[in-house]
């Protein structure tokens, strides 16, 4: 290459370099000056593929443990496949739950948010609630009456008895339970709960005969007609809650009425029939709610969100052999919870409240189990759950804790009138 040619090549290279810098700067300026592309915003709450649901309020009281078990608030075959991220100023986040035992300085309301992430760390669901901690002495010394209505979960009478025990401590209301006596050991435990019953049976099944509330009659009422139906002419009957209150509560409407139904109403449903099954249940649920209003306009009505089943298929195998799977029952139960929240949520002005009994139940450790051989050839034994839908006493007590915290919150907000 000649000297002149080499000089010309250097000039051309320098010009190319200058042009590259100019073009690069122009491109960078254009990118900077261009309007930012909109970023897709996720909604504040969305159930996602696992149908994540939180009740609108989680009630708590100093000294009482409150929990949110992650498996109870979603529909996932294996919740361990997901990461649950709790955002709350109170409590602690553990493997399977959020848990909190408030102290007296924790009284107040606190935002409660759960986000769920998949294995790529993508947020796939988000739910919000409010943690409401009521004062420990809310309603201290105030006489209140409570009627618990339900199926076999209520007929076991464990959570109503637990309510009585909780209220014995200083700073609590003087509670009277309304209803029949389900057992001979404690005549103060009174309920309207019967094994196998549904909302439809409470609203429509009438049988002649006078009821008594004494313990000697407890064995006969499980197979009788609804305690709220009375004769209304030849061959007719009607829901007459004022009369029921005259006979079983001194003529006064209860201060609090709770409903825990839905297990039997929807037990046999599947994905194709569950909506119609819930529609039928709500038809009679509404009749029972209106029935309570006949006696007293300001009775606080608590709709317990249907509790989830035992934590493994073992409980269903023990209770129903091959007749039902935990997964199908869980699908039904989750849908009942979703629709109960849709129908009865945000109705506090009507005196109707959701009680988050579904979140505060340990379905692995607080359902009954038995120690058995793992198989016929194994020498080792282990524990298997042995009931599909009925908790052990410890689980029933968790349900009672939730109802107690709800009652305390209502007493803190506005003392009952006692009408």
């Amino acid at each position: 290459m000649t000297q002149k040619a080499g000089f010309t090549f250097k000039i051309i290279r320098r010009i190319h370099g200058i042009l590259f810098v100019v073009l690069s700067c122009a491109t960078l300026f254009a990118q900077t000056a261009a309007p930012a592309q909109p970023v897709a915003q996720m909604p504040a709450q969305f159930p996602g593929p696992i149908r994540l649901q939180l009740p609108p309020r989680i009630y708590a009281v100093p000294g009482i443990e409150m929990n949110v078990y992650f498996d109870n608030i979603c529909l996932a075959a294996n919740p361990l496949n997901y990461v649950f991220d709790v955002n709350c100023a109170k409590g602690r986040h553990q493997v399977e739950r959020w848990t909190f035992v408030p102290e007296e300085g924790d009284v107040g309301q606190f935002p409660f948010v759960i986000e769920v992430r998949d294995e790529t760390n993508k947020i796939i669901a988000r739910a919000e609630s409010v943690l409401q901690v009521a004062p420990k002495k809310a309603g201290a010394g105030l006489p209140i009456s409570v009627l618990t209505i339900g199926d076999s979960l209520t007929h076991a009478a464990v959570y109503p008895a637990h309510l009585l025990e909780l209220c014995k401590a200083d700073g609590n209301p003087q509670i009277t339970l309304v209803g029949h006596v389900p057992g001979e050991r404690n005549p103060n435990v009174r309920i309207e709960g019967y094994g196998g019953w549904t909302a439809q049976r409470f609203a429509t099944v009438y049988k002649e005969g006078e009821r008594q509330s004494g313990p000697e009659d407890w064995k006969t009422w499980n197979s009788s007609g609804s305690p709220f139906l009375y004769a209304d002419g030849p061959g007719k009957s009607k829901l007459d809650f004022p009369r029921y209150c005259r006979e079983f509560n001194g003529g006064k409407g209860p201060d609090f009425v709770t409903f825990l139904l839905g297990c039997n109403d929807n037990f046999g449903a599947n994905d194709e029939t569950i909506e119609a099954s819930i529609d039928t249940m709500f038809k009679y649920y509404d009749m029972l709610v209106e029935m309570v209003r006949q006696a007293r306009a300001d009775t606080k009505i608590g709709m317990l969100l249907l509790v989830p089943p035992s934590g493994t298929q073992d409980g269903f195998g023990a209770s129903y052999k091959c007749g039902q799977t935990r997964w199908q029952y869980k699908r039904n139960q989750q849908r009942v919870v979703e629709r109960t929240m849709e129908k009865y949520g945000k109705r506090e002005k009507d005196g109707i409240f959701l009680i988050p009994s579904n979140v505060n139940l340990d379905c692995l450790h607080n359902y009954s189990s038995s120690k058995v051989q793992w198989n016929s050839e194994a020498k080792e034994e282990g524990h298997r759950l042995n009931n599909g839908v009925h908790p052990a006493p410890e689980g029933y007590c968790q349900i009672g804790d939730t109802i107690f915290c709800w009652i305390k919150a209502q007493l803190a907000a506005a003392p009952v009138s006692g009408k």
Side-chain angles (χ1 to χ4, degrees), residues 9 32 83 150 190 274 349 360 379:
F9 180 73
T32 305
V83 177
R190 295 172 178 269
I274 185 62
K349 291 183 179 179
N360 186 37
K379 296 181 180 180

Side-chain angles (χ1 to χ4, degrees), residues 42-302:
M42 290 186 295
Q45 298 197 69
F46 60 102
I50 63 169
R51 291 164 59 177
L52 181 71
Q53 291 282 350
L54 279 176
R57 291 190 180 271
I58 300 166
Y59 301 100
V61 171
I64 303 293
E65 182 186 77
M66 185 51 54
N67 305 284
V68 175
Y69 289 92
F70 303 139
D71 187 34
N72 297 13
I73 58 173
C74 68
L75 190 64
N78 185 2
L80 294 177
N81 288 336
Y82 303 94
V83 177
F84 291 79
D85 185 1
V86 181
N87 187 347
C88 184
K90 303 294 180 178
R92 63 179 60 182
H93 182 175
Q94 297 179 335
V95 172
E96 81 285 9
R97 64 175 182 169
W98 166 88
T99 186
F100 181 43
V101 181
E103 299 178 356
E104 293 194 31
D106 293 317
V107 172
Q109 300 190 44
F110 309 92
F112 188 97
V113 180
I114 290 184
E115 293 180 341
V116 183
R117 298 174 183 266
D118 64 13
E119 67 278 1
T120 70
N121 209 34
K122 177 184 176 182
I123 298 175
I124 63 167
R126 180 188 289 120
E128 297 179 354
S129 183
V130 174
L131 171 64
Q132 182 172 340
V133 183
K136 187 173 183 177
K137 294 186 178 181
L142 189 69
I144 63 170
S145 56
V146 179
L147 169 62
T148 57
I149 300 172
D151 49 35
S152 55
L153 296 174
T154 303
H155 195 194
V158 179
Y159 75 78
H162 188 57
L163 275 177
L164 285 178
E165 286 299 314
L166 289 171
C167 287
K168 288 180 180 180
D170 291 340
N172 289 310
Q174 299 175 10
I175 185 173
T176 298
L177 297 180
V178 179
H180 83 280
V181 179
E184 299 172 340
R185 290 179 296 177
N186 190 346
N188 293 321
V189 177
R190 295 172 178 269
I191 60 173
E192 293 300 350
Y194 305 93
W197 277 38
T198 62
Q200 181 175 0
R201 179 155 186 163
F202 272 109
T204 64
V205 176
Y206 170 73
K207 289 188 178 180
E208 294 183 0
E210 292 294 326
R211 278 196 53 191
Q212 302 294 328
S213 61
E216 67 279 2
D217 301 301
W218 71 273
K219 294 181 180 179
T220 63
W221 291 114
N222 188 38
S223 59
S224 72
S226 169
F228 309 123
L229 283 166
Y230 292 86
D232 186 33
K236 296 181 180 180
S237 63
K238 69 174 183 178
L239 291 168
D240 191 345
F241 198 61
R243 178 173 172 181
Y244 173 87
C245 293
R246 289 196 300 271
E247 295 182 1
F248 295 96
N249 196 38
K252 299 178 181 179
D255 298 304
F256 298 90
V257 174
T258 65
F259 289 95
L260 178 50
L261 293 166
C263 174
N264 301 302
D265 307 71
N266 303 285
F267 187 89
N270 55 38
D271 291 359
E272 288 72 38
T273 62
I274 185 62
E275 302 303 328
S277 180
I278 296 173
D279 287 343
T280 299
M281 179 185 77
F282 282 161
K283 172 184 176 181
Y284 298 105
Y285 239 148
D286 283 345
M287 292 172 62
L288 296 173
V289 169
E290 181 60 28
M291 171 197 78
V292 173
R293 288 285 176 252
Q294 293 175 356
R296 184 172 166 185
D298 64 345
T299 292
K300 291 179 171 59
I301 299 174

